[in-house]
Amino acid sequence: MARRSFWVWVVVGIVCSAIMWAVPGSETVPYHIAWATFALCFGLEVWSAAATWTSLAIFTVVTGSILVLRVAEGVLDWQEAAEIPLMLLLMALMVVHVRRRQGAIAALTALHERESREAHSRELLTRRTSHEMRSPLTITRGYIEVLEDRHVGTESAIELAIVSDELKRLTRVCERLVRSLLAQQDLELEAVDLDDLLLRTRNAWAAVAEREWLVTASAGTSSCSPERLRACLDTLVENAIRYTRPGDTIELFGSRGLDGWISVGVSDSGPGFSAGTRRAVLAGAHTQAVGAVGAGGDVNGFAAEGPDSPVAQLGSPDAFGDELSQTGLGLGMVEEAASRRGGRLEIGVSQWGGARVGFSWPARTA
C-alpha cells in the first residue's frame, strides 16, 4: 500500500518533469527539486519496494530523455547528461541504507517486545507460584505446630522442629520473590507519607520477631512507589532480624536533610560490619544491581571463600547469607531501586555499634 508521502513525490515529480519539458534551458532546477523531494519523502516514510523502484525508474527515464534531448539540441552541455546515472545511483544508495536501518529497527523492536512478553510471563509465573504455595505452607505449618505440642520432649520433637524450620525458610523464599518483583518494577508513583510507612512496617514485623523495635522518622512526604519502598524496607528489616537475637534493638529511621535528600533505612544492635566488610557489601550490592552475580558460592553479592573474606569475619555463611543469596536479591535489589531515582545505598555503624543500612534519594526527583 502506497503511503501519503509517496503520492507527494509523484505529484512533484510530474510537475517538475512538465516544467523541464516546457522551459528549455532551465531543466536542472526542477530536476534537482524533484530528487530532493524524493529524498525527503522517502526519509519520512519507507515505501514498498515496488513503488520505490518503479517510480525511480519512470522518473529517471522521463527526465533523462528530456536532458538527452536538450543536449542533442545544443540547449545544454553534454556534462548535464552525466547527472542522470549519478542522481539515480545516489538515490538508490539512500534507499538501500534506509531500508537496512528500518529492518534493524524492526528487528530490535520485535526482540524488545518478545523479551517484554517473556519477562511478564516469568513475573506472572513467580507471583502465581508464590501465591499458590503460601496457603499449603500455612496449613502445613499449623499441623506441624500441633504435632510438636503432642510430642514435646520426644525424639520426634527434634525432627518436627527441623521440618518446621525448613517450612519457615520456604515461606520466606516466597515472600522474597514477591518483594524482589515489586522492587524491580516501574510502578505508579504517588505521594507517600514516609513516616507512616515506616511505622506500619515496624508494626508488621514486630509481631514476627521478638526485638526492641524503634521508629525515628522525620522524612515527611515524597512522590514514590509505596510498594517498591515497602519491599526495600522489608528486605532491610529481614536482614536486621537475621543478624540479631531476641532482646536486641532494631530501629527504622527516616530523615530529610538540608541538602534536599531523603534517607530511610534500618539500624540494629547486632554484630555490625567491619570497614572491609562494608566496602565488600557495597561493591557486591552494586554488582547485583547491574545484574552480575559472582560465582563460587557468593553470599549477598560477595565471595565467601577464604578465612579473610567478609563473610568469614561475621561467622559462617549460613549466619550471613540467605536462601536466595545467589539470585542477586538482597542489598543489590535495594541499591537498584534507589539508583533508579538517582539515589544510593548507604552502609554504616549504628549508635549501638551494629549495622546501619539505608538508602537515600534526592527529594526533587520523580
Side-chain angles (χ1 to χ4, degrees):
M1 180 179 178
R3 300 177 181 269
R4 183 179 302 176
S5 62
F6 171 76
W7 295 113
V8 172
W9 143 248
V10 170
V11 172
V12 173
I14 293 174
V15 172
C16 290
S17 299
I19 295 175
M20 291 176 63
W21 176 261
V23 186
S26 302
E27 291 85 0
T28 56
V29 175
Y31 181 70
H32 290 99
I33 290 177
W35 282 120
T37 302
F38 172 85
L40 176 62
C41 293
F42 190 82
L44 295 175
E45 292 181 306
V46 179
W47 314 324
S48 66
T52 302
W53 297 114
T54 300
S55 63
L56 277 178
I58 294 175
F59 182 76
T60 301
V61 170
V62 173
T63 56
S65 300
I66 296 173
L67 291 177
V68 170
L69 178 61
R70 296 292 186 259
V71 170
E73 293 175 348
V75 177
L76 297 176
D77 294 333
W78 66 268
Q79 292 89 344
E80 299 293 341
E83 292 197 26
I84 300 172
L86 290 178
M87 294 302 298
L88 178 61
L89 177 61
L90 288 175
M91 294 302 109
L93 291 174
M94 185 200 71
V95 169
V96 171
H97 285 293
V98 170
R99 285 192 172 280
R100 290 182 59 187
R101 178 176 176 273
Q102 290 295 324
I105 293 176
L108 288 175
T109 302
L111 178 62
H112 173 71
E113 291 177 351
R114 184 171 68 252
E115 291 180 346
S116 297
R117 290 194 298 268
E118 293 175 353
H120 182 65
S121 298
R122 289 194 298 268
E123 176 187 338
L124 288 178
L125 176 61
T126 303
R127 284 182 177 274
R128 290 171 180 171
T129 302
S130 178
H131 177 74
E132 294 297 328
M133 290 177 63
R134 285 180 179 179
S135 295
L137 283 174
T138 302
I139 295 173
T140 305
R141 288 177 58 185
Y143 276 98
I144 291 295
E145 291 175 0
V146 172
L147 292 175
E148 286 179 321
D149 293 338
R150 293 179 180 177
H151 297 82
V152 176
T154 65
E155 294 183 359
S156 298
I158 299 176
E159 298 174 350
L160 290 172
I162 295 175
V163 174
S164 178
D165 182 63
E166 294 302 316
L167 286 174
K168 291 177 182 178
R169 293 177 61 190
L170 187 56
T171 301
R172 291 196 297 269
V173 167
C174 297
E175 294 172 350
R176 289 174 192 148
L177 286 173
V178 175
R179 289 208 306 268
S180 174
L181 290 171
L182 290 174
Q184 295 174 9
Q185 289 177 341
D186 290 322
L187 302 176
E188 184 177 354
L189 303 181
E190 59 182 81
V192 178
D193 186 337
L194 301 178
D195 301 341
D196 179 68
L197 182 62
L198 289 169
L199 183 61
R200 287 188 284 112
T201 304
R202 188 280 306 269
N203 294 338
W205 282 97
V208 176
E210 184 182 350
R211 304 290 190 273
E212 186 68 28
W213 293 91
L214 301 175
V215 175
T216 304
S218 59
T221 302
S222 176
S223 176
C224 57
S225 166
E227 292 86 359
R228 179 185 294 163
L229 183 58
R230 178 61 187 271
C232 293
L233 284 173
D234 285 344
T235 298
L236 298 183
V237 170
E238 188 177 19
N239 285 342
I241 292 175
R242 189 184 307 122
Y243 309 137
T244 56
R245 289 178 169 80
D248 285 342
T249 301
I250 295 179
E251 176 192 37
L252 281 74
F253 63 85
S255 63
R256 184 183 296 262
L258 297 177
D259 56 357
W261 279 64
I262 298 175
S263 297
V264 297
V266 177
S267 59
D268 60 61
S269 59
F273 300 105
S274 66
T277 302
R278 287 198 299 272
R279 290 192 296 269
V281 171
L282 284 171
H286 178 70
T287 300
Q288 294 177 39
V290 297
V293 181
D298 61 355
V299 180
N300 279 344
F302 50 86
E305 299 177 355
D308 298 327
S309 68
V311 175
Q313 296 177 23
L314 294 179
S316 68
D318 291 337
F320 189 90
D322 55 48
E323 297 84 350
L324 299 180
S325 61
Q326 292 186 354
T327 64
L329 302 180
L331 295 182
M333 178 189 76
V334 177
E335 188 192 37
E336 194 273 340
S339 63
R340 290 192 180 191
R341 293 176 58 94
R344 59 179 178 267
L345 180 69
E346 298 173 338
I347 296 181
V349 180
S350 70
Q351 57 181 314
W352 304 282
R356 178 184 173 90
V357 183
F359 54 98
S360 60
W361 68 91
R364 64 181 180 275
T365 60

